[in-house]
């Protein structure tokens, strides 16, 4: 029997076209809308288009809107799987947000495209078809939110955009995809382990993200305190170290209970408190900085926003990152 698949179009290159000047932009009509109904051989498709935005325009408001739309639809209809089309620039953030907050067992797939609808080699329709096939596959249940592009299935937690323009841009550094899609089937070779779910209806907090560099000092850390941010994620150096001149700034934040999450600016590996010198990981941890378990900066920021919206218990927030 054909599955009922909810397809939510939110914008991005997958919904754009290239004009005569070579500019890629949204048009009056979403090119996917005309195609999607033609996919009824794959599943019974229900289409929703809450907005049509390039993904650099996506904020927490739109992420919450997508979550609410999904929960409303699930409550009204029997839906077997969900596909969300999205711009690729912030796709991993929306995917991870939904992964942490939806708590559904059915397959949920986020997809996009690197080439717009009328460009040679456009990958949009292909990725949409592949994603609908994954969303209709029983083996894709209970796996959290998945990201499907270029015949690969990734977890929302590990996937990241690694290339500005290549169609194989989405990769899960260190872990690889958990499945592949071929003409004949959908094959999973790994099972995601940890399932997390946080109940939130709104995001009221502000979390900043800073990238460390040689010679960094405390100025921006003081600014973050002055600007009343509620939390900070730092993409630290290597295993999780910072220049000594940042230490006073970090301390100023921790002293007023602003959580400081340490991730690494290396895109492989896990930030750990290994080094005991001034500004080294052990030093930062003793000061009260929280080390994140392998998340990249943008996802640690989403997680901290969710954590701060869920509770003000710092111990709970620290545990979220372990
Ligand atoms: N800038 C586009 C966006 O994120 C890129 C894409 O969709 O591939 O909306």
């Amino acid at each position: 029997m054909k599955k009922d698949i909810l397809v939510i179009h939110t914008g991005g290159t997958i919904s754009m076209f290239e004009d005569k000047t070579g500019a890629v932009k949204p048009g009056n009509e979403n090119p996917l809308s005309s195609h999607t109904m033609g996919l009824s051989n794959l599943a019974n498709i229900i289409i929703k288009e809450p907005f049509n935005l390039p993904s650099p325009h996506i904020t927490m408001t739109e992420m919450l809107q997508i979550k609410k739309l999904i929960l409303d639809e699930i409550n009204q209809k029997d839906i077997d799987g969900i596909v969300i089309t999205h711009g690729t620039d912030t796709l991993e953030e929306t995917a991870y947000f939904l992964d942490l907050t939806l708590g559904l067992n059915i397959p949920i797939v986020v997809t996009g495209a690197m080439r717009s609808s009328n460009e040679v080699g456009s990958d949009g329709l292909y990725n949409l078809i592949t994603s609908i096939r994954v969303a209709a596959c029983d083996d894709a249940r209970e796996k959290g939110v998945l990201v499907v592009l270029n015949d690969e299935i990734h977890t929302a937690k590990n996937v990241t955009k690694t290339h500005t323009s290549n169609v194989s841009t989405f990769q899960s550094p260190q872990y690889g995809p958990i499945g592949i899609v071929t003409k004949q089937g959908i094959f999973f070779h790994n099972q995601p382990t940890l399932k997390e779910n946080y109940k939130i209806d709104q995001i009221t907090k502000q979390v900043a993200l800073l990238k460390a560099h040689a010679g960094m000092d405390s100025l921006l850390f003081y600014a973050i305190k002055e600007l009343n941010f509620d939390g900070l994620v730092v993409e630290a150096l290597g295993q999780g170290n910072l220049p000594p001149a940042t230490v006073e700034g970090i301390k100023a934040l921790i002293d007023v209970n602003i959580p400081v999450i340490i991730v690494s600016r290396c895109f492989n590996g896990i930030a750990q408190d290994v080094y005991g010198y001034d500004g080294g990981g052990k030093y930062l941890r003793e000061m009260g900085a929280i080390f994140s378990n392998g998340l990249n900066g943008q996802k640690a920021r989403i997680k901290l926003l969710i954590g701060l919206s869920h509770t003000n218990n710092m111990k709970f927030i620290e545990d979220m990152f372990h």
Side-chain angles (χ1 to χ4, degrees):
M1 211 175 69
K2 267 200 271 179
K3 299 279 179 74
D4 295 316
I5 304 294
L6 171 66
V7 176
I8 304 176
H9 297 311
T10 71
T13 297
I14 194 167
S15 292
M16 295 185 195
F17 73 102
E18 188 181 71
D19 73 10
K20 288 194 191 84
T21 70
V24 176
K25 54 189 192 187
N28 293 333
E29 209 180 293
N30 187 337
L32 284 179
S33 307
S34 53
H35 287 306
T36 317
M37 274 311 173
L39 303 177
S40 54
N41 59 322
L42 298 174
N44 302 318
I45 312 268
I46 306 147
I47 303 175
K48 294 281 162 186
E49 192 169 353
F51 45 81
N52 185 357
L53 292 175
S55 77
H57 296 200
I58 298 280
T59 67
M60 300 313 295
T61 305
E62 285 77 25
M63 294 186 203
L64 283 160
Q65 196 180 334
I66 299 170
K67 171 179 170 272
K68 184 170 180 308
L69 173 61
I70 290 173
L71 294 178
D72 288 348
E73 290 294 315
I74 288 277
N75 283 335
Q76 288 167 28
K77 304 181 187 100
D78 282 336
I79 287 172
D80 300 303
I82 300 171
V83 174
I84 300 146
T85 67
H86 196 287
T88 60
D89 290 351
T90 62
L91 185 152
E92 65 194 85
E93 282 151 275
T94 297
Y96 191 50
F97 173 80
L98 296 173
D99 191 46
L100 291 178
T101 58
L102 272 177
L104 299 173
N105 295 332
I106 58 170
I108 302 168
V109 177
V110 188
T111 192
M114 297 303 288
R115 300 185 187 128
S116 66
S117 56
N118 60 340
E119 285 177 62
V120 175
S122 171
D123 49 338
L125 187 56
Y126 185 83
N127 284 338
L128 177 61
I129 290 171
T130 314
S131 298
I132 292 172
R133 289 176 59 208
V134 174
C137 168
D138 287 334
D139 290 347
R141 291 174 61 88
E142 309 266 0
K143 292 201 165 44
V145 173
L146 301 171
V147 171
V148 174
L149 287 96
N150 203 34
D151 284 339
E152 291 186 344
I153 308 169
H154 295 264
T155 61
K157 183 176 176 194
N158 292 329
V159 78
T160 193
K161 187 173 182 179
T162 63
H163 194 287
T164 53
S165 55
N166 196 304
V167 292
S168 67
T169 181
F170 281 93
Q171 303 289 330
S172 298
Q174 186 156 279
Y175 303 106
I178 63 162
I180 58 165
V181 184
T182 70
K183 277 190 196 305
Q184 290 172 1
I186 286 137
F187 303 98
F188 286 94
H189 50 260
N190 271 326
Q191 175 73 24
T193 45
L194 187 65
K195 289 203 184 79
E196 294 171 90
N197 182 232
Y198 305 100
K199 302 248 171 297
I200 52 144
D201 291 320
Q202 53 176 351
I203 298 278
T204 49
K205 308 292 179 178
Q206 296 266 40
V207 171
L209 171 60
L210 287 183
K211 185 170 196 154
H213 56 81
M216 190 181 207
D217 62 22
S218 281
L219 267 184
L220 288 174
F221 297 91
Y222 292 134
I224 280 164
K225 184 177 162 206
E226 287 308 307
L227 290 167
N228 292 320
F229 276 88
D230 303 287
L232 170 66
V233 176
V234 187
E235 286 187 15
L237 309 171
Q239 292 213 29
N241 309 306
L242 287 170
T246 64
V247 167
E248 281 310 309
I250 301 258
K251 192 168 173 312
L253 293 169
I254 293 173
D255 281 351
V256 292
N257 284 326
I258 297 175
V260 177
I261 311 293
I262 303 291
V263 302
S264 176
R265 72 175 194 178
C266 301
F267 69 89
N268 274 302
I270 295 173
Q272 291 176 324
D273 55 324
V274 171
Y275 289 92
Y277 52 75
D278 193 6
K282 283 208 179 297
Y283 198 90
L284 298 173
R285 182 164 217 153
E286 270 157 33
M287 272 169 51
I290 299 168
F291 277 68
S292 168
N293 191 1
L295 292 173
N296 66 21
Q298 55 271 33
K299 286 194 211 168
R301 179 180 170 274
I302 294 285
K303 192 170 205 180
L304 183 55
L305 274 171
I306 291 170
L308 289 168
S309 302
H310 184 76
T311 177
N312 50 18
N313 179 336
M314 279 304 148
K315 174 76 178 72
F316 183 93
I317 289 184
E318 196 172 341
D319 289 346
M320 283 173 76
F321 286 93
H322 287 161

